């Protein structure tokens, strides 16, 4: 419990320091655990640099989703993908193009491309979560992955990526 409280405090301080930085923070990469619609402001190239080698081809889709009419922060979405697929090593990621642990009636769904799955996730998150007031990582996590510490892990990955983006 103490580790979780400490992680939340650190994350909050990082998010506050990012928002205080104004224009400079936008070029460094931003993330808000309180609203996954907040744009990171990262270029497609910087998003690509933050992704594991086998996920770099998804950078254009992350960028496009973040800058669409239904924006989802690229750092948040990439963190969900990284967590759900073991950094792109899972069978579902490799063979089923399922980048988010998306379930169907008969178990894990299969998509024609990883990008198709990302756009499905964008729509799914808006329909089932964001439009229903679940806009922060913790509220999404309590429904997206019941039990465990999914939200903490996604939040930690997103914060780590945000910090790395500052050094790019």
């Amino acid at each position: 419990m103490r580790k979780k409280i400490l992680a939340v405090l650190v994350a909050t301080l990082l998010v506050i320091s990012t928002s205080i930085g104004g224009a400079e923070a936008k070029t460094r990469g931003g993330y808000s655990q309180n609203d996954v619609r907040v744009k990171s402001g990262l270029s497609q190239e910087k998003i690509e640099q933050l992704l594991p080698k086998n996920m770099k081809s998804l950078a254009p889709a992350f960028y496009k989703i973040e800058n669409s009419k239904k924006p989802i922060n690229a750092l948040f979405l990439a963190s969900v993908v990284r967590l759900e697929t073991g950094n792109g090593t899972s069978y579902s990621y490799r063979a089923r193009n399922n980048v988010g642990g998306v379930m169907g009636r008969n178990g894990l769904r299969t998509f024609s491309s990883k990008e198709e799955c990302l756009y499905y996730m964008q729509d799914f998150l808006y329909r089932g979560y964001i439009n229903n007031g679940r806009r922060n990582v913790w509220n999404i996590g309590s429904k997206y992955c019941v039990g465990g510490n999914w939200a903490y892990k996604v939040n930690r990955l997103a914060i780590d990526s945000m910090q790395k983006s500052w050094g790019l």
Side-chain angles (χ1 to χ4, degrees), residues 87-126:
N87 279 325
T89 61
S90 72
Y91 173 80
S92 293
Y93 181 83
R94 292 179 286 110
R96 295 177 175 249
N97 293 319
N98 189 327
V99 302
V102 178
M103 300 297 285
R105 287 191 177 111
N106 299 318
L108 286 165
R109 288 192 51 185
T110 300
F111 294 87
S112 62
S113 71
K114 291 173 179 66
E115 291 80 6
E116 178 192 9
C117 185
L118 279 175
Y119 295 122
Y120 175 86
M121 287 176 64
Q122 175 189 25
D123 186 57
F124 175 79
L125 286 167
Y126 262 86

Side-chain angles (χ1 to χ4, degrees), residues 44-165:
Q44 182 177 312
E45 293 76 23
K46 284 194 176 186
I47 293 169
E48 183 179 336
Q49 289 175 334
L50 294 169
L51 295 171
K53 189 175 185 177
N54 58 345
M55 290 185 177
K56 292 192 181 292
S57 65
L58 297 177
F62 285 122
Y63 180 81
K64 192 172 183 179
I65 288 170
E66 180 172 279
N67 292 288
S68 70
K69 290 182 181 180
K70 295 179 184 177
I72 297 177
N73 183 285
L75 298 174
F76 166 76
L77 194 55
S79 296
V80 170
V81 170
R82 289 179 59 203
L83 180 64
E84 292 291 335
T85 66
N87 279 325
T89 61
S90 72
Y91 173 80
S92 293
Y93 181 83
R94 292 179 286 110
R96 295 177 175 249
N97 293 319
N98 189 327
V99 302
V102 178
M103 300 297 285
R105 287 191 177 111
N106 299 318
L108 286 165
R109 288 192 51 185
T110 300
F111 294 87
S112 62
S113 71
K114 291 173 179 66
E115 291 80 6
E116 178 192 9
C117 185
L118 279 175
Y119 295 122
Y120 175 86
M121 287 176 64
Q122 175 189 25
D123 186 57
F124 175 79
L125 286 167
Y126 262 86
R127 281 185 292 111
Y129 299 82
I130 295 168
N131 289 342
N132 295 320
R134 290 180 182 261
R135 295 184 177 108
N136 73 52
V137 178
W138 312 103
N139 286 337
I140 291 171
S142 66
K143 184 179 174 189
Y144 192 93
C145 185
V146 179
N149 53 0
W150 182 91
Y152 170 79
K153 291 175 182 176
V154 168
N155 199 49
R156 185 74 251 152
L157 286 167
I159 290 168
D160 290 347
S161 292
M162 180 181 67
Q163 290 175 320
K164 286 178 187 169
S165 76

